[in-house]
Amino acid sequence: MMKTAADAYFSLLQGFINSLDESSQESKLRYIQNFKWTDTLQGQVPSAQQDAVFELISMGFNVALWYTKYASRLAGKENITEEEAKEVHRSLKIAAGIFKHLKESHIPRLLTPAEKGRDLEARLLDAYIVQCQAEAQEVTIARAIELKHAPGLIAALAYETANFYQKADHTLSSLEPAYSAKWRKYLLLKMCFYTAYAYCYHGQTLLASDKCGEAIRSLQEAEKSFAKAEALCKEYGETKGPGPTVKPSEHLFFRKLGNLVKNTLEKCQRENGFIYFQKIPTEAPQLELKANYGLVEPVPFEFPPTSAHWTPDTLAAFDLTKRPKDDSTKPKPEDVRPVKEPDIKPQKDTGCSVS
């Protein structure tokens, strides 16, 4: 239903942008209307441009956000089914694909570049793309653990996911801390969390190869990364900024890792004391893991073609002499009242920060 409604609007909007003969020439209606949108990090002060391309991009951005909210709602169910987990995975990949398409194919068409810290700025879009990939990959990791796949594969997936979160944090590092600090704390705690997962399962792989000393050192590093994630959870909860505050440290998935690291480390230490008697390295093992399966790529996205309702007669019915006299794209300083969202909130806190 959401896709049908969005596609209908996109098709209609294309008539304000593209010429009917499908030439490279743009529609004479492209600059007829001023559009305003608020931004996720900037409160209720809107961005505005007198450009139908701006409206197309902004609507596309919000459809991508809808997919992240839908994924968050499904992930928040008490007893999520396998099909629902697949839908969470799919929705996050679709969202990433929409963000990627907007950044690469449509935002360069804007006559007025997005201001710093606004939703359509390249840094924010890059962060959204990478975080959607990372959170979709979290579903893959949970599935791999549930099905008891090889520890080496789980370690590699966790390592790749930690790198995604690190990349998203680096993308936001040059933004103003006033509106990026909270988001960055979340990304850092997730990076530490999945680094701990990678070292934990890498330790299991080393133990299976009779490298008990190296396994102990890997588990010790997992313990350190998990402790960092716990500390960052507290800092994140105390950091002010846009968006809801989730509580990852209270999630079963988070708590399970702490117990897993502790129990696996104790097992390795016992084995080393009874069987292997290997020296524990001073340096942590280098994680140069590459997952051959389960890596998430954005789903390719394209806007639908111009609606069939657009005809030469429809176009001729617009009187361009009555267009607004003031073509200024600068919004007035008044706030825009938020629109009440439908009930798509998760039933419980999912730890998902995109939405």
Side-chain angles (χ1 to χ4, degrees):
M1 187 184 296
M2 174 62 186
K3 185 178 186 306
T4 301
D7 282 353
Y9 184 68
F10 291 143
S11 292
L12 189 64
L13 202 55
Q14 294 278 33
F16 286 90
I17 300 169
N18 304 317
S19 62
L20 293 182
D21 60 5
E22 298 184 354
S23 67
S24 58
Q25 187 176 0
E26 64 188 25
S27 170
K28 64 180 182 178
L29 303 179
R30 175 174 171 178
Y31 306 105
I32 198 173
Q33 177 65 44
N34 194 46
F35 298 97
K36 292 182 181 181
W37 285 88
T38 54
D39 298 86
T40 50
L41 300 182
Q42 302 290 338
Q44 300 307 315
V45 179
S47 298
Q49 291 195 34
Q50 192 155 319
D51 188 347
V53 171
F54 175 71
E55 172 69 1
L56 181 75
I57 296 168
S58 298
M59 188 64 188
F61 182 92
N62 277 268
V63 169
L65 279 186
W66 182 91
Y67 275 106
T68 69
K69 288 178 180 289
Y70 180 58
S72 181
R73 183 186 186 220
L74 284 178
K77 294 183 72 172
E78 291 295 338
N79 296 301
I80 186 169
T81 66
E82 181 180 333
E83 286 305 311
E84 287 167 339
K86 288 179 181 177
E87 189 66 16
V88 170
H89 193 257
R90 188 184 73 90
S91 294
L92 288 166
K93 290 196 297 181
I94 290 173
I98 296 174
F99 288 132
K100 188 172 186 286
H101 179 67
L102 296 177
K103 177 179 179 287
E104 294 177 353
S105 301
H106 294 280
I107 287 177
R109 300 172 65 189
L110 290 172
L111 298 183
T112 306
E115 297 176 23
K116 290 183 178 180
R118 297 288 181 175
D119 285 343
L120 305 187
E121 205 223 327
R123 289 174 295 182
L124 265 75
L125 281 168
D126 282 337
Y128 275 120
I129 293 166
V130 175
Q131 188 174 339
C132 283
Q133 288 179 270
E135 294 194 344
Q137 216 152 273
E138 288 189 53
V139 180
T140 306
I141 293 170
R143 180 69 173 164
I145 293 171
E146 182 185 357
L147 295 180
K148 295 181 171 55
H149 280 290
L153 173 60
I154 297 170
L157 285 170
Y159 178 64
E160 300 271 15
T161 304
N163 286 341
F164 270 143
Y165 280 116
Q166 185 177 41
K167 181 180 177 182
D169 172 65
H170 180 72
T171 300
L172 298 177
S173 61
S174 55
L175 287 175
E176 288 292 329
Y179 52 79
S180 66
K182 184 177 179 180
W183 191 355
R184 291 191 64 200
K185 288 288 185 188
Y186 173 84
L187 295 171
L188 284 170
L189 78 86
K190 279 297 189 79
M191 181 197 76
C192 290
F193 178 72
Y194 280 99
T195 299
Y197 250 115
Y199 274 116
C200 179
Y201 278 90
H202 184 56
Q204 292 184 26
T205 303
L206 290 169
L207 180 61
S209 302
D210 295 326
K211 298 177 181 178
C212 196
E214 292 179 43
I216 290 172
R217 188 64 188 86
S218 188
L219 266 299
Q220 288 173 341
E221 203 63 26
E223 205 170 40
K224 287 181 185 177
S225 294
F226 186 75
K228 284 182 188 176
E230 284 187 309
L232 283 164
C233 280
K234 185 177 179 182
E235 290 176 27
Y236 167 72
E238 295 170 351
T239 303
K240 294 182 179 180
T245 301
V246 296
K247 298 175 181 177
S249 59
E250 295 181 7
H251 294 181
L252 181 61
F253 196 62
F254 193 98
R255 298 197 307 271
K256 272 185 175 179
L257 175 59
N259 291 331
L260 180 64
V261 170
K262 179 176 177 290
N263 295 337
T264 309
L265 177 56
E266 289 175 355
K267 176 186 176 182
C268 289
Q269 289 169 332
R270 285 195 307 272
E271 296 291 313
N272 203 43
F274 280 107
I275 302 171
Y276 295 102
F277 305 103
Q278 293 176 0
K279 185 178 178 181
I280 299 168
T282 54
E283 295 292 325
Q286 291 295 313
L287 291 178
E288 297 178 352
L289 309 171
K290 186 70 180 175
N292 295 318
Y293 307 98
L295 293 177
V296 168
E297 289 294 333
V299 172
F301 175 82
E302 292 285 343
F303 283 116
T306 304
S307 169
H309 292 296
W310 283 102
T311 65
D313 290 340
T314 308
L315 197 62
F318 284 86
D319 186 353
L320 296 184
T321 63
K322 295 182 179 180
R323 66 185 296 175
K325 292 181 181 180
D326 181 14
D327 288 352
S328 172
T329 61
K330 292 289 183 184
K332 293 181 181 179
E334 82 272 8
D335 288 355
V336 174
R337 287 191 298 177
V339 177
K340 181 175 173 56
E341 292 188 27
D343 180 23
I344 59 168
K345 293 180 181 178
Q347 299 170 13
K348 64 184 177 74
D349 177 18
T350 63
C352 176
S353 176
V354 174
S355 291

